[in-house]
Amino acid sequence: MRIRGISVRDIRFPTSLRLDGSDAQHVDPDYSCAYVVLFTDSEAKGFGLSFTIGRGTEIGKLFIAPLVQAIRSLAHLVVGQDFEAIVKDFGAFSRRLTNDSQLRWLGPEKGVLHLAASAVVNAVWDLWGRTQNKPIWKLLTDLTPEELVSCVDFTYLEDALTKEEALEILRSMVPGKDKREEEIRSSGYPCYTTSSGWIGYDEDKIRNNLLISMQAGFSKFKIKVGQDLEKDKKRLRLVRSIIGDNRQLMIDANQVWEVDQAINWVKELAEFKPVWIEEPTSPDDILGHAKVAQALKDTGIGVATGEHCHNRVMFKQLFKSGGMQYCQIDACRVGGINENIAVMLMAKKFGVPVCPHAGGIGLCEMIQHLAIFNFICISGDLKHSVAEYADHLHEHFIQPARIKHGCYIVPDVSDMMRILNNLRNFAPGYSVEMIGSSLINYEYPLGPKWREMFDKKLYEDPSKQVPPYVEHRPETRSSHFQRFHSIQTS
Amino acid sequence: MRIRGISVRDIRFPTSLRLDGSDAQHVDPDYSCAYVVLFTDSEAKGFGLSFTIGRGTEIGKLFIAPLVQAIRSLAHLVVGQDFEAIVKDFGAFSRRLTNDSQLRWLGPEKGVLHLAASAVVNAVWDLWGRTQNKPIWKLLTDLTPEELVSCVDFTYLEDALTKEEALEILRSMVPGKDKREEEIRSSGYPCYTTSSGWIGYDEDKIRNNLLISMQAGFSKFKIKVGQDLEKDKKRLRLVRSIIGDNRQLMIDANQVWEVDQAINWVKELAEFKPVWIEEPTSPDDILGHAKVAQALKDTGIGVATGEHCHNRVMFKQLFKSGGMQYCQIDACRVGGINENIAVMLMAKKFGVPVCPHAGGIGLCEMIQHLAIFNFICISGDLKHSVAEYADHLHEHFIQPARIKHGCYIVPDVSDMMRILNNLRNFAPGYSVEMIGSSLINYEYPLGPKWREMFDKKLYEDPSKQVPPYVEHRPETRSSHFQRFHSIQTS
């Protein structure tokens, strides 16, 4: 089977209108994604996406987000390739995408291009799952330790995790895999909810959300903090008064503090007994995280980070420095499942529980697979690991993540589904395929839902705005003259 | 004065044909840039660029590099703004560009978007220099300590450098500024050349290059290493046999090694007495650099890095950890001059000499300004600081960097130039304005020089390639139907 084409679309949802997803740093997110489909010379397709929080294309004549364009710039590395050859040496393929000798200058292995690589790599995994008729967690679980290790690019990891150590970890966990699979199928994967306390929500909304979540079986809650210390205390007091002392509370500052400020602020909130403080400062500040973690040791509050940790080298240092007590892998930030396998293996070696970051759009759908695989094949630990869950935008997915009593239900391909799959190719894979009508309605900026919002003046219509850039564009190839269309905007 | 428009163009030079610029990691660079022009409601313009090494747009119907698109996505933050208001609170402006509440998700402050911010911020500086009729180093030198500090975003730096400390450093260096300006005008700014030993060059070419450079007055040379230990020894033996024991030798591995491998490899090369080993491993590996620096202490070889160090938080950690003995700031990698001021101030505090990275395209032109400013206003030290120089692509600039006896000649606005400037706006600023014919000839992929190379089959013509992606594009706004053009590429 050969991959013969890729499509990329800019899909956005107007979440900022209700402040869903707001935090101290990201005050007005419109949850969005660059949505990738891989086409093959058979019927099979692969779906992938990279989550963003909007903006990038509002103004101008060409509606192409930098991330969409970055994915296109990787197209030549995947289109035309033989699928079986890719997955046979998946580590080498992922390295080609993340380490192209010219494109790497724009990273390396970080930012827009790494998010782009992740969408493509994950789409290949989805395709693999579909051809095997397995959900990704099951595909991963059924791979041998040798096959799993062959997916990983160990470059720059030698001083933390060698290929041999990785193999040893995976082999040591082979016994008991079946039992753990059975366990997770019956119990589900424990999660906490972030939907109760976005920073833009008032007290009434937080109270209602918490009560609803508790009724639904959640016992773990994350609250955004960091804008105002006194307000934080008031919110957390409210939260504790509702959830009591025995349910778990996490707090998340979304990078707003200086290092020492983080230490002092969190000590002030220690009375509310949060399990962790998430993203206390710059996600790049390894030494800063180590200092915060050290200073908070006595309080019992751990440092959680990872959603902005851009590659395995940064994770390596967070592990080695003791700067991270909870490892929040993200499905899109690093270069796809392959790099996340490396991170999960390091987490095991350094004894740090993996607590995947989710929310956004499609992130819950993806990370459930990673969390379940990590439990079955790497960590074997459910006590300290908890995955994030946020209750929005799931209605746009063909196979949305499902929650029962505060746990992710293991996504599976039922026998009925197996039969259906012969007709429609949707049940297996990475759970990121979106519903056709959502794709049409929410494609930015021409989807009908966006046109509607522009008409209602809820958002500014980019096509009505005067392009702010002075366009230089040659007329034809033969008559290549410098020509400036200067447009006065002021 | 108001900024009323911005243009962005993809300019590329076919340097990979001769392996100029090749190293162990980047084996086939085509030195390129996203070239920015700011237009105002007066005659004044500002020029900026962000250097890349090619690729990003070869294939497909839309020839837009991700970096070009990223710069466009920042356009709304600069176009329509009042110029005087920008430079009055330049720190806040640069923070708006690097910390947009939605776009920051794609970084934050790293990768494509940070390179884009840098091009825009630097173009504003260029515009400022032109309106003041001063080269940038002089504009910077004439700012008061208070004005300089107001340009800097101190976010995340508090545990390394406070605003007050920065002010103190700058104030302590005010005495003697005139004398240092005079000194640097007469001596020039010392530099080393990288042009002798790109990794793709054979021994004869290296020998010739070294002899020519020595004749031109160079006494400091950098050689690329890291592909093969025995070959490296042979090359360095050759180099030392030509330059003797008293001229300076630097070596550069361009990130190819694991941490421990770097230590062992460099120890093997210690006999050739290099001043520094540059980029021994992943640029993200702070702890790795610290380990390498510690292990090499006895050899007298320092660690140099910075060209891929993506923001001030990473520099902060390299300073604090002792992982960097030579601080190689880059003109485009961090968010422009403003962030580089922060880095130079930290370098002073931690006693690390600033040795700017150059080469590429336009980098020499820009960093000479930073190096001169750093000497006059911050470091006051010429002994340990040396700037990079690479001898290519200067012919495309209106005010190319000029070298005499191995030193950058201080770029200045002569009286004659001052008069000319009233007619043509070119002498002052950041020296990055390119010659009109170069812009026309080398714009990718439609410039005549590129058409010529496509005709000669030196490069593949992207417009002749079948687009690898399956395009989805709505017909019109009113009839928005899902439509796939599937193109078989295999």
Side-chain angles (χ1 to χ4, degrees):
Chain A
M1 187 170 71
R2 197 166 286 276
I3 295 170
R4 66 163 179 78
I6 182 172
S7 80
V8 197
R9 299 166 75 178
D10 185 2
I11 309 294
R12 301 198 197 184
F13 299 94
T15 46
S16 70
L17 295 181
R18 293 190 311 170
L19 298 178
D20 299 338
S22 60
D23 63 52
Q25 189 80 259
H26 312 93
V27 292
D28 57 352
D30 286 322
Y31 279 6
S32 311
C33 67
Y35 186 78
V36 169
V37 186
L38 293 176
F39 298 85
T40 65
D41 50 14
S42 81
E43 280 296 296
K45 289 182 198 141
F47 298 83
L49 63 82
S50 211
F51 167 63
T52 76
I53 58 173
R55 211 139 38 228
T57 55
E58 278 71 13
I59 292 170
K61 286 180 241 165
L62 290 161
F63 307 116
I64 304 165
L67 180 57
V68 168
Q69 199 55 23
I71 293 173
R72 287 181 173 167
S73 75
L74 295 173
H76 68 288
L77 295 169
V78 56
V79 172
Q81 301 293 309
D82 181 67
F83 172 74
E84 281 76 18
I86 289 178
V87 298
K88 204 175 165 188
D89 194 358
F90 212 154
F93 171 76
S94 82
R95 188 159 170 78
R96 280 200 296 282
L97 280 187
T98 57
N99 204 46
D100 176 277
S101 70
Q102 290 193 355
L103 285 176
R104 78 186 297 287
W105 189 270
L106 303 176
E109 301 189 66
K110 57 176 70 72
V112 171
L113 268 165
H114 215 45
L115 289 163
S118 143
V120 176
V121 167
N122 286 341
V124 174
W125 277 97
D126 183 66
L127 179 58
W128 198 5
R130 285 159 192 270
T131 61
Q132 301 288 309
N133 210 19
K134 287 177 186 175
I136 289 300
W137 71 264
K138 182 63 176 161
L139 172 69
L140 283 164
T141 305
D142 288 349
L143 292 178
T144 64
E146 292 73 18
E147 287 169 326
L148 281 169
V149 158
S150 81
C151 296
V152 174
D153 173 9
F154 285 91
T155 309
Y156 300 139
L157 293 188
E158 217 170 69
D159 57 327
L161 181 81
T162 63
K163 197 179 274 195
E164 292 66 39
E165 286 175 298
L167 264 176
E168 215 169 286
I169 290 172
L170 289 164
R171 282 177 186 150
S172 74
M173 294 302 290
V174 170
K177 264 171 63 178
D178 293 347
K179 205 176 136 276
R180 285 192 294 277
E181 182 174 329
E182 209 173 296
E183 182 185 343
I184 202 76
R185 276 182 192 276
S186 75
S187 72
Y189 196 93
C191 61
Y192 66 89
T193 175
T194 311
S195 296
S196 314
W198 297 111
I199 208 111
Y201 287 2
D202 62 20
E203 294 204 350
D204 277 351
K205 192 153 183 182
I206 292 178
R207 181 181 296 113
N208 280 339
N209 284 341
L210 285 173
L211 291 173
I212 292 168
S213 297
M214 281 162 61
Q215 219 155 21
F218 279 100
S219 61
K220 294 162 183 165
F221 307 91
K222 191 164 82 187
I223 301 291
K224 300 285 178 179
V225 297
Q227 270 187 344
D228 180 290
L229 181 57
E230 289 315 308
K231 272 192 199 159
D232 285 353
K233 284 185 179 174
K234 222 176 135 200
R235 297 180 114 210
L236 294 185
R237 194 163 295 127
L238 171 78
V239 172
R240 270 290 174 218
S241 78
I242 297 165
I243 69 170
D245 289 340
N246 296 324
R247 293 194 181 82
Q248 273 187 17
L249 171 64
M250 293 85 159
I251 56 175
D252 185 355
N254 291 88
Q255 316 166 21
V256 291
W257 296 319
E258 299 292 316
V259 174
D260 296 319
Q261 187 188 16
I263 294 167
N264 297 331
W265 196 304
V266 177
K267 279 186 175 169
E268 289 276 339
L269 302 179
E271 57 175 305
F272 305 105
K273 303 216 170 305
V275 175
W276 73 51
I277 172 63
E278 185 170 327
E279 292 206 309
T281 186
S282 162
D284 294 337
D285 199 346
I286 313 285
L287 301 177
H289 278 76
K291 188 175 174 188
V292 173
Q294 187 59 37
L296 293 180
K297 219 166 189 177
D298 293 341
T299 65
I301 306 169
V303 172
T305 191
E307 72 184 80
H308 278 87
C309 187
H310 56 262
N311 62 34
R312 67 197 175 286
V313 179
M314 298 300 281
F315 276 105
K316 175 181 84 169
Q317 295 175 84
L318 284 165
F319 289 129
K320 288 186 92 164
S321 68
M324 174 171 64
Q325 281 69 54
Y326 300 92
C327 173
Q328 301 183 299
I329 56 170
D330 180 280
C332 311
R333 179 70 57 185
V334 299
I337 290 177
N338 308 59
E339 194 164 2
N340 266 325
I341 295 174
V343 176
M344 290 186 277
L345 285 164
M346 283 193 284
K348 168 76 171 198
K349 181 175 164 185
F350 287 88
V352 175
V354 172
C355 302
H357 165 249
I361 174 160
L363 298 184
C364 296
E365 278 67 23
M366 288 187 273
I367 59 93
Q368 58 180 344
H369 293 274
L370 301 179
I372 295 164
F373 158 66
N374 183 56
F375 166 66
I376 296 175
C377 294
I378 301 177
S379 77
D381 166 48
L382 266 193
K383 225 184 201 164
H384 306 93
S385 299
V386 58
E388 186 167 10
Y389 178 74
D391 187 20
H392 52 231
L393 304 175
H394 300 289
E395 64 274 22
H396 302 295
F397 290 88
I398 285 179
Q399 276 215 307
R402 288 173 305 158
I403 299 289
K404 197 173 158 185
H405 303 313
C407 289
Y408 279 98
I409 299 173
V410 174
D412 204 0
V413 186
S414 68
D415 283 348
M416 197 53 203
M417 284 296 188
R418 281 180 211 273
I419 295 161
L420 273 173
N421 284 336
N422 293 329
L423 304 171
R424 288 191 55 192
N425 180 40
F426 71 80
Y430 208 11
S431 308
V432 292
E433 187 181 0
M434 288 174 81
I435 289 169
S437 60
S438 294
L439 289 170
I440 291 173
N441 279 325
Y442 289 97
E443 182 156 13
Y444 187 88
L446 299 178
K449 288 281 183 196
W450 280 107
R451 308 311 311 164
E452 215 179 291
M453 288 184 279
F454 299 148
D455 288 345
K456 287 184 187 159
K457 310 279 180 220
L458 292 171
Y459 285 81
E460 208 173 344
D461 182 353
S463 64
K464 297 258 167 69
Q465 288 175 272
V466 181
Y469 50 87
V470 177
E471 192 58 64
H472 160 89
R473 196 152 287 277
E475 296 291 80
T476 65
R477 267 163 222 162
S478 50
S479 72
H480 183 94
F481 295 112
Q482 206 164 358
R483 213 166 70 96
F484 291 99
H485 310 275
S486 305
I487 293 149
Q488 196 85 19
T489 59
S490 59
Chain B
M1 188 169 74
R2 198 166 284 278
I3 296 169
R4 65 162 179 79
I6 182 172
S7 80
V8 197
R9 298 166 73 178
D10 185 2
I11 310 295
R12 302 198 197 183
F13 299 95
T15 47
S16 71
L17 295 180
R18 295 190 311 168
L19 296 180
D20 300 339
S22 60
D23 63 50
Q25 189 79 258
H26 313 94
V27 293
D28 57 352
D30 286 322
Y31 280 4
S32 312
C33 67
Y35 186 77
V36 169
V37 186
L38 293 177
F39 298 85
T40 64
D41 49 15
S42 81
E43 280 297 293
K45 288 180 199 144
F47 298 85
L49 62 79
S50 212
F51 168 63
T52 75
I53 58 173
R55 209 134 47 223
T57 55
E58 278 71 13
I59 291 170
K61 286 179 240 165
L62 289 161
F63 306 117
I64 304 167
L67 181 56
V68 168
Q69 198 57 24
I71 293 173
R72 288 181 173 167
S73 75
L74 295 174
H76 68 288
L77 295 170
V78 58
V79 172
Q81 300 294 308
D82 180 67
F83 172 73
E84 282 77 18
I86 288 177
V87 298
K88 206 176 161 186
D89 194 0
F90 213 154
F93 171 76
S94 83
R95 188 159 171 79
R96 279 199 296 280
L97 279 186
T98 56
N99 205 45
D100 176 276
S101 70
Q102 290 193 356
L103 285 174
R104 78 185 300 284
W105 189 269
L106 303 175
E109 302 188 65
K110 58 177 69 74
V112 171
L113 268 166
H114 215 45
L115 289 163
S118 146
V120 175
V121 167
N122 285 340
V124 174
W125 277 97
D126 184 66
L127 179 58
W128 197 7
R130 286 160 190 267
T131 60
Q132 301 287 309
N133 210 20
K134 286 177 186 173
I136 288 301
W137 70 264
K138 183 64 177 159
L139 172 69
L140 283 165
T141 306
D142 288 349
L143 292 178
T144 63
E146 291 74 18
E147 287 168 327
L148 281 169
V149 158
S150 81
C151 296
V152 174
D153 173 9
F154 285 92
T155 309
Y156 299 139
L157 293 188
E158 217 169 70
D159 57 325
L161 182 82
T162 63
K163 196 179 271 195
E164 292 66 39
E165 286 176 299
L167 264 176
E168 214 170 287
I169 290 172
L170 289 165
R171 283 179 186 149
S172 74
M173 294 303 290
V174 170
K177 264 173 62 176
D178 293 348
K179 204 175 137 278
R180 285 192 294 276
E181 181 173 330
E182 210 172 291
E183 182 186 343
I184 201 77
R185 276 181 192 277
S186 76
S187 71
Y189 197 95
C191 61
Y192 66 89
T193 175
T194 310
S195 297
S196 314
W198 297 112
I199 209 111
Y201 287 2
D202 62 21
E203 293 204 351
D204 277 350
K205 192 154 184 180
I206 290 177
R207 182 182 293 111
N208 282 337
N209 284 342
L210 285 172
L211 291 172
I212 292 167
S213 297
M214 281 162 62
Q215 220 156 21
F218 279 100
S219 61
K220 294 163 183 166
F221 307 91
K222 192 164 81 187
I223 301 291
K224 300 285 178 180
V225 298
Q227 268 187 346
D228 179 287
L229 181 58
E230 289 315 309
K231 273 192 198 158
D232 284 352
K233 284 184 179 175
K234 222 176 136 197
R235 297 180 114 211
L236 294 185
R237 196 165 291 126
L238 171 77
V239 172
R240 269 289 175 219
S241 78
I242 297 165
I243 68 171
D245 289 338
N246 295 324
R247 293 193 181 81
Q248 275 187 16
L249 171 64
M250 293 86 159
I251 55 175
D252 185 355
N254 291 86
Q255 317 165 19
V256 291
W257 296 318
E258 298 291 315
V259 174
D260 295 319
Q261 187 188 17
I263 294 168
N264 298 330
W265 197 302
V266 177
K267 279 186 175 168
E268 290 276 339
L269 302 179
E271 57 175 308
F272 304 106
K273 302 216 172 304
V275 175
W276 74 51
I277 171 64
E278 185 171 327
E279 292 205 308
T281 186
S282 162
D284 294 337
D285 199 345
I286 314 283
L287 302 177
H289 279 76
K291 188 176 176 188
V292 173
Q294 187 59 35
L296 293 179
K297 219 167 191 178
D298 293 340
T299 66
I301 305 169
V303 171
T305 192
E307 71 185 82
H308 278 88
C309 187
H310 56 263
N311 62 34
R312 67 199 177 286
V313 179
M314 298 300 280
F315 275 104
K316 174 181 85 169
Q317 296 175 83
L318 284 164
F319 289 128
K320 290 187 91 164
S321 68
M324 174 171 65
Q325 281 69 55
Y326 300 93
C327 173
Q328 301 183 298
I329 55 170
D330 180 279
C332 311
R333 179 71 57 188
V334 299
I337 290 177
N338 308 58
E339 193 163 3
N340 266 324
I341 296 174
V343 175
M344 291 186 277
L345 286 164
M346 282 193 285
K348 168 76 169 198
K349 181 173 167 187
F350 287 89
V352 175
V354 172
C355 301
H357 165 250
I361 176 160
L363 298 184
C364 298
E365 279 66 24
M366 288 187 272
I367 59 95
Q368 58 180 343
H369 293 274
L370 300 179
I372 294 164
F373 158 68
N374 183 54
F375 167 65
I376 296 175
C377 295
I378 300 178
S379 78
D381 167 48
L382 266 192
K383 226 182 198 163
H384 306 94
S385 298
V386 59
E388 185 166 13
Y389 179 74
D391 187 19
H392 52 231
L393 304 177
H394 301 290
E395 65 274 21
H396 301 295
F397 290 88
I398 285 179
Q399 276 214 306
R402 289 173 305 157
I403 299 289
K404 198 172 157 184
H405 303 312
C407 289
Y408 279 98
I409 298 173
V410 173
D412 203 0
V413 186
S414 70
D415 283 348
M416 195 57 201
M417 284 296 188
R418 279 180 212 276
I419 295 161
L420 273 174
N421 284 337
N422 293 329
L423 304 171
R424 288 192 56 191
N425 179 41
F426 69 79
Y430 209 12
S431 308
V432 291
E433 187 182 0
M434 289 176 82
I435 290 169
S437 61
S438 294
L439 288 172
I440 291 174
N441 278 324
Y442 289 97
E443 183 158 9
Y444 187 87
L446 298 177
K449 288 280 183 196
W450 279 108
R451 307 312 312 166
E452 215 178 291
M453 288 185 280
F454 299 147
D455 287 347
K456 287 183 187 158
K457 311 274 181 225
L458 292 171
Y459 285 81
E460 207 173 343
D461 181 354
S463 64
K464 297 259 169 68
Q465 289 175 272
V466 180
Y469 50 86
V470 177
E471 193 58 61
H472 160 89
R473 195 153 286 278
E475 295 292 80
T476 66
R477 269 164 221 160
S478 51
S479 74
H480 183 95
F481 294 114
Q482 206 166 358
R483 214 167 70 94
F484 291 99
H485 309 276
S486 304
I487 293 148
Q488 195 84 18
T489 60
S490 59

